[in-house]
């Protein structure tokens, strides 16, 4: 069995073991926090970084770059979830924005797991077939799907092309005027935009309390950093180096988004 198929099966087995139905969409942030007990922090990071994972004893943390679009953040969170759940020896991993390279096996596996966890083939087929029936897929259908599954436009296009629902020509055609068209159709455009204008977002009782106290001016920056260090999140306090090893997913949103 090749790695791609192995990761597809692993993603489906993971969904099933957690009681997630084949056709259910996932709010990945709430799922990680409430079901898996993983803390998340969404905060501005270097433009070169999508996210990072930290593990300290029984505590796990995923940090997501709020400068990336919300759809991209959802993919990154799922990618990092793979590392925490299945990379048993991992304690600290940073995912910078680079072109995916096949020799990084764990990164390839994390990407494939994330795609299948968020967009199972049968779920895409079921939702799409009920909408388009026998007609040709249009941009409006792609927007409907990405809004339903809460993923980026780029990821939705890649998945549809991978599954044979669109060809290379349609893939290129459907890249433009997405936000404008989504707005015209009455959809929220939040999935296509970064969230760094919303400040720090946390999914953790400890991190939430510390961040709230800091934002309300009730504790100093030094005290806030001290609390993070005491909570096992020291890596957040210190600058992440610009040049770091590792790779991120190749499914980075197109620059226009």
């Amino acid at each position: 069995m090749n790695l791609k198929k192995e990761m597809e099966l692993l993603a489906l087995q993971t969904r099933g073991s957690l009681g997630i139905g084949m056709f259910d969409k996932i709010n990945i942030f709430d799922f990680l926090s409430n079901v898996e007990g993983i803390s998340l922090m969404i905060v501005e990071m270097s433009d070169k970084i999508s996210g990072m994972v930290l593990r300290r004893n029984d505590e796990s943390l995923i940090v997501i770059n709020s400068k990336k679009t919300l759809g991209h953040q959802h993919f990154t969170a799922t990618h990092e979830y793979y590392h925490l759940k299945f990379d048993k020896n991992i304690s600290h991993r940073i995912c910078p924005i680079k072109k995916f390279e096949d020799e990084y096996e764990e990164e390839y596996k994390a990407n494939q797991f994330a795609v299948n966890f968020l967009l199972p083939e049968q779920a895409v087929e079921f939702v799409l077939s009920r909408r388009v029936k026998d007609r040709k897929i249009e941009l409006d259908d792609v927007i409907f799907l990405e809004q339903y599954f809460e993923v980026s436009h780029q990821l939705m296009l890649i998945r549809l092309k991978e599954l044979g629902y669109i060809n290379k020509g349609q893939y290129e055609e459907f890249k433009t005027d997405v936000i404008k068209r989504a707005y015209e159709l009455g959809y929220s455009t939040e999935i296509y935009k970064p969230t760094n204008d919303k400040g720090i977002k946390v999914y953790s009782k400890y991190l939430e309390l510390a961040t709230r106290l800091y934002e309300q001016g009730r504790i100093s920056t030094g005290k806030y950093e001290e609390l993070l260090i005491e909570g096992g999140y020291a890596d957040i306090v210190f600058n992440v180096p610009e040049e770091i090893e590792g790779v991120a997913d190749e499914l980075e949103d197109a620059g226009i988004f």
Side-chain angles (χ1 to χ4, degrees):
M1 182 185 302
N2 61 37
L3 282 180
K4 188 173 183 179
K5 188 64 177 178
E6 181 183 335
M7 290 302 101
E8 177 185 357
L9 293 177
L10 181 62
L12 295 180
Q13 289 169 359
T14 303
R15 286 175 63 104
S17 68
L18 294 167
I20 303 171
M22 176 60 69
F23 307 121
D24 293 343
K25 62 180 181 179
I26 300 172
N27 183 317
I28 190 63
F29 293 160
D30 286 343
F31 163 77
L32 292 176
S33 177
N34 298 330
V35 177
E36 288 287 50
I38 298 171
S39 296
L40 289 97
M41 174 176 277
I42 304 167
V43 63
E44 283 196 35
M45 303 171 72
S46 164
D47 289 336
K48 297 181 179 181
I49 298 173
S50 281
M52 60 189 292
V53 294
L54 308 170
R55 179 184 287 144
R56 295 290 184 273
N57 300 320
D58 295 330
E59 294 295 323
S60 299
L61 171 68
I62 293 176
V63 185
I64 304 294
N65 191 352
S66 63
K67 290 182 180 179
K68 305 304 174 185
T69 70
L70 182 59
H72 185 72
Q73 291 176 32
H74 290 166
F75 181 86
T76 299
T78 314
H79 175 107
E80 304 297 1
Y81 172 54
Y82 168 85
H83 287 309
L84 282 177
K85 193 172 182 70
F86 300 107
D87 252 356
K88 296 303 182 183
N89 296 322
I90 195 171
S91 62
H92 182 159
R93 191 180 193 94
I94 301 169
C95 288
I97 302 297
K98 291 185 179 179
K99 182 66 177 177
F100 180 82
E101 299 175 28
D102 289 341
E103 62 262 30
Y104 293 98
E105 183 175 299
E106 284 304 312
E107 294 302 313
Y108 176 81
K109 289 164 69 174
N111 283 341
Q112 292 300 322
F113 175 87
V115 169
N116 286 282
F117 193 79
L118 293 173
L119 296 169
E121 180 176 356
Q122 287 182 275
V124 174
E125 178 184 12
F126 176 77
V127 176
L128 186 61
S129 64
R130 289 172 64 88
R131 178 177 171 88
V132 303
K133 302 189 184 302
D134 297 324
R135 65 173 172 79
K136 185 178 179 181
I137 293 179
E138 301 172 349
L139 174 60
D140 291 1
D141 302 315
V142 181
I143 292 173
F144 169 81
L145 288 171
E146 65 208 25
Q147 291 283 335
Y148 178 82
F149 288 108
E150 299 183 14
V151 299
S152 72
H153 185 67
Q154 184 74 354
L155 177 58
M156 197 70 250
L157 285 178
I158 288 173
R159 188 59 164 157
L160 289 173
K161 184 173 179 291
E162 178 185 48
L163 297 176
Y165 291 113
I166 62 174
N167 56 36
K168 185 177 181 180
Q170 290 171 301
Y171 176 87
E172 295 299 328
E173 176 189 349
F174 294 157
K175 281 184 176 181
T176 59
D177 297 325
V178 178
I179 296 179
K180 178 176 179 290
R181 185 57 180 165
Y183 179 79
E184 291 172 347
L185 293 172
Y187 293 112
S188 167
T189 58
E190 293 300 308
I191 200 77
Y192 310 110
K193 299 177 181 179
T195 62
N196 53 322
D197 62 330
K198 295 178 171 54
I200 299 172
K201 177 70 174 177
V202 294
Y203 293 78
S204 163
K205 291 181 179 178
Y206 182 89
L207 285 175
E208 182 178 0
L209 176 59
T211 302
R212 187 178 300 163
L213 291 172
Y214 173 66
E215 291 179 338
Q216 292 174 350
R218 295 169 63 184
I219 59 175
S220 66
T221 300
K223 183 61 178 178
Y224 177 57
E225 293 179 348
E226 180 184 328
L227 289 173
L228 293 184
I229 293 170
E230 289 177 354
Y233 305 125
D235 303 72
I236 299 173
V237 176
F238 304 106
N239 292 328
V240 177
E242 288 291 323
E243 298 299 329
I244 44 184
E245 293 185 353
V247 294
D249 56 86
E250 63 180 335
L251 308 177
E252 169 71 350
D253 286 311
I256 58 173
F257 301 140

